[in-house]
Amino acid sequence: MSENGHEHEHGHPHAEPKHETSPWAARIRAVEELLAEKGILTHEEVEAQIEYMEARSYENGARLVARAWTDPGFKELLLRDTKAACSQLGIDASGTVEFVTVENTPATHNLIVCTLCSCYPRAILGRPPDWYKSPAYRSRAVVEPRAVMREFGLEIPEDTSVSVHDSSADVRYLVLPMRPPGTEGMTEDELADLVTRDCLVGTAVPREPARV
Amino acid sequence: MIRPATAARFRPGDAVRVPNVEKKGHVRTPEYVKGKRGRVTGILGGFPDPESLAYGGAGLPEKPLYRVCFRQTDLWEGYAGPPGDTLHVDIYEHWLEPAIEES
């Protein structure tokens, strides 16, 4: 028996964590081995799930936003049926998890958190950032959202309401940020480049492109 | 609505209160909204009951899941922000009861 209980040297980027020696990594390996031994999961299924997750990133969200900024019909669809909007862009979000997209406006800024664990629209955006899972963010984002956003460098004006969404049940939330001024005439790809991961959580907003 | 609803007791606009009760085990209703009043802003549909799923149950019957909006100033004493700031939580029907409308 090899170190991992099976031969699995296929050179993917996720091969590295298998050699991690932290207690957490050891525990995960032990759990995986037990699940495989009991016939509940195969190693291949675990690998397939890791590959599924690693194929996703916030760039999917950036594409949704850029299309919504340039196509009012698509924006309407994104806000009404996020799964259908994903499907139109070839993003596979067809699993059992449901999604809702909330729109930032001059009157309302949205911020997403999951206080109970770290629920996140993984099927669209991939894995959440580490800070999203931290007890500090999860507890403070609901109590003092404006202070938390300030620490991210985002000051929300007093005449804009802050809506915090605690996604601790069955629905995962994405923020549709406002299109920044000075972006007229930009292509959809250029617009997508303005949308960072944090813009989709609400701890940032897309910035006006720097003038050359 | 993003999933078909089972028969839903509440409608958007209804004033609701989250019962302030202790329930051991896996519960998706955050502690900080217990005993608080809010307003239903939408019905998300019927979802398997997580309090059954968490223990290997089938989650049936499905529970209607609501979007409930709370005023931040109702949730936290000394909330540091304007009175228009809100907090939205998705709450299953058995964690909601009707609240008397404020005049």
Side-chain angles (χ1 to χ4, degrees):
Chain A
M1 218 172 171
S2 73
E3 182 202 351
N4 297 325
H6 66 140
E7 298 301 332
H8 208 109
E9 293 302 326
H10 59 184
H12 286 196
H14 57 255
E16 191 188 337
K18 291 211 173 273
H19 304 297
E20 267 189 31
T21 53
S22 73
W24 303 110
R27 188 164 81 169
I28 288 293
R29 277 198 294 269
V31 169
E32 183 180 337
E33 285 311 315
L34 277 171
L35 289 168
E37 219 173 278
K38 289 177 179 290
I40 295 166
L41 284 176
T42 66
H43 293 294
E44 288 67 31
E45 284 171 321
V46 173
E47 290 301 319
Q49 189 59 34
I50 291 171
E51 277 167 25
Y52 173 94
M53 210 35 86
E54 287 187 346
R56 279 146 175 75
S57 88
Y58 79 91
E59 287 161 9
N60 285 334
R63 287 170 57 211
L64 291 168
V65 168
R67 177 66 60 88
W69 283 347
T70 53
D71 178 346
F74 185 84
K75 175 180 161 181
E76 188 273 328
L77 178 66
L78 178 66
L79 295 173
R80 178 168 49 80
D81 186 343
T82 298
K83 271 189 180 178
C86 284
S87 169
Q88 267 200 13
L89 293 196
I91 300 165
D92 176 18
S94 61
T96 53
V97 175
E98 303 292 346
F99 305 95
V100 165
T101 304
V102 289
E103 182 188 14
N104 283 352
T105 67
T108 307
H109 177 85
N110 295 285
L111 179 70
I112 314 299
V113 62
C114 172
T115 56
L116 292 192
C117 39
S118 53
C119 295
Y120 188 75
R122 289 169 189 252
I124 301 173
L125 305 183
R127 286 179 299 182
D130 284 342
W131 56 258
Y132 185 84
K133 300 182 276 186
S134 70
Y137 179 76
R138 285 160 44 203
S139 54
R140 293 184 55 216
V142 288
V143 184
E144 44 176 359
R146 288 173 183 267
V148 169
M149 289 188 279
R150 203 171 291 128
E151 288 170 26
F152 277 91
L154 180 60
E155 182 76 39
I156 302 298
E158 286 280 307
D159 57 359
T160 298
S161 296
V162 169
S163 285
V164 178
H165 303 265
D166 186 351
S167 63
S168 47
D170 265 307
V171 179
R172 307 292 172 259
Y173 289 87
L174 287 92
V175 174
L176 170 59
M178 285 191 288
R179 181 170 175 166
T183 57
E184 301 78 8
M186 286 177 74
T187 68
E188 206 174 306
D189 284 348
E190 288 167 338
L191 289 169
D193 283 344
L194 302 177
V195 182
T196 63
R197 180 193 60 198
D198 293 4
C199 294
L200 301 157
V201 182
T203 50
V205 294
R207 297 297 178 190
E208 195 173 343
R211 306 215 179 268
V212 181
Chain B
M1 199 172 313
I2 51 179
R3 272 170 64 104
T6 53
R9 178 183 178 192
F10 301 105
R11 295 275 167 273
D14 283 358
V16 288
R17 181 179 174 275
V18 182
N20 190 11
V21 296
E22 284 301 313
K23 182 167 180 185
K24 288 202 188 325
H26 182 86
V27 165
R28 296 289 185 99
T29 305
E31 280 294 318
Y32 65 84
V33 295
K34 286 187 181 173
K36 303 294 183 182
R37 297 164 51 98
R39 195 170 289 280
V40 172
T41 58
I43 307 174
L44 291 159
F47 286 82
D49 181 0
E51 293 165 32
S52 154
L53 287 182
Y55 301 101
L60 299 175
E62 291 194 343
K63 303 281 186 181
L65 183 63
Y66 298 90
R67 297 279 286 139
V68 181
C69 174
F70 299 87
R71 286 195 298 237
Q72 286 280 37
T73 50
D74 287 344
L75 294 180
W76 317 106
E77 205 177 320
Y79 175 75
D85 283 6
T86 54
L87 189 135
H88 304 255
V89 191
D90 300 343
I91 302 182
Y92 300 92
E93 187 170 272
H94 60 292
W95 277 100
L96 292 174
E97 58 192 24
I100 294 133
E101 292 281 348
E102 273 175 1
S103 53

